[in-house]
Amino acid sequence: MAQLFPEAAPTVVLGPDSRGSLVGPLVALHAGVGFVEVRKDRTPAGDSDEWVRRTTPPDYRDRHVVLGFRRGLLRSSDQVLVVDDWVDTGSQARTVRAMVDSVGAGWVGFGCIVDALDDSRLRRELGLRSLLRLRDL
């Protein structure tokens, strides 16, 4: 998936749990950069670190999911590549993008295994690239 962005030079890979946190470290290892897990609906651990948290618009199940990551893991100088297994409505991807923007980091794009988006405008907004499209399955 890192090869979907040959022109990019990410400094960190973000991956939403659960499957983004499985493929994300592999992409980060291949790119030689760090990995940050974006947690879903979990209270930050009992530490004093600041967290970046946002609630998504409704997803494919009409759920609102609270996403978050530890603020200290992402710097404004970072170039961020986000990876996940599947994108359907794009609600989580858009929320992660807003979180990255809120800390002033750069957006490389969003890479996924399966692209099931209907909205080509959102695909462009996210810089989405995928290994497969839903119609290919």
Side-chain angles (χ1 to χ4, degrees):
M1 287 186 7
Q3 293 175 347
L4 293 172
F5 298 86
E7 74 289 352
T11 58
V12 67
V13 173
L14 266 66
D17 71 16
S18 67
R19 292 183 197 98
S21 62
L22 293 175
V23 296
L26 299 173
V27 173
L29 182 64
H30 178 80
V33 300
F35 172 75
V36 174
E37 178 184 34
V38 178
R39 295 181 175 207
K40 292 181 187 175
D41 289 328
R42 286 199 246 166
T43 304
D47 57 33
S48 60
D49 289 348
E50 179 184 350
W51 280 67
V52 177
R53 294 171 53 111
R54 292 270 164 88
T55 302
T56 68
D59 66 7
Y60 68 100
R61 291 188 196 162
D62 205 29
R63 298 174 303 172
H64 295 271
V65 179
V66 178
L67 301 178
F69 59 83
R70 201 176 285 159
R71 172 64 183 94
L73 298 177
L74 197 61
R75 299 179 309 259
S76 61
S77 60
D78 279 320
Q79 294 297 307
V80 179
L81 173 61
V82 178
V83 298
D84 206 351
D85 66 327
W86 195 287
V87 63
D88 195 342
T89 65
S91 67
Q92 290 184 32
R94 290 178 84 183
T95 302
V96 172
R97 171 87 194 245
M99 294 164 70
V100 168
D101 291 346
S102 77
V103 300
W107 183 263
V108 169
F110 189 95
C112 66
I113 297 171
V114 179
D115 171 2
L117 273 178
D118 290 330
D119 186 347
S120 60
R121 185 188 50 187
L122 182 55
R123 191 175 286 114
R124 286 188 302 276
E125 177 187 320
L126 294 171
L128 177 69
R129 298 181 189 171
S130 64
L131 298 176
L132 298 166
R133 291 227 176 148
L134 183 59
R135 67 177 179 254
D136 298 328
L137 298 177

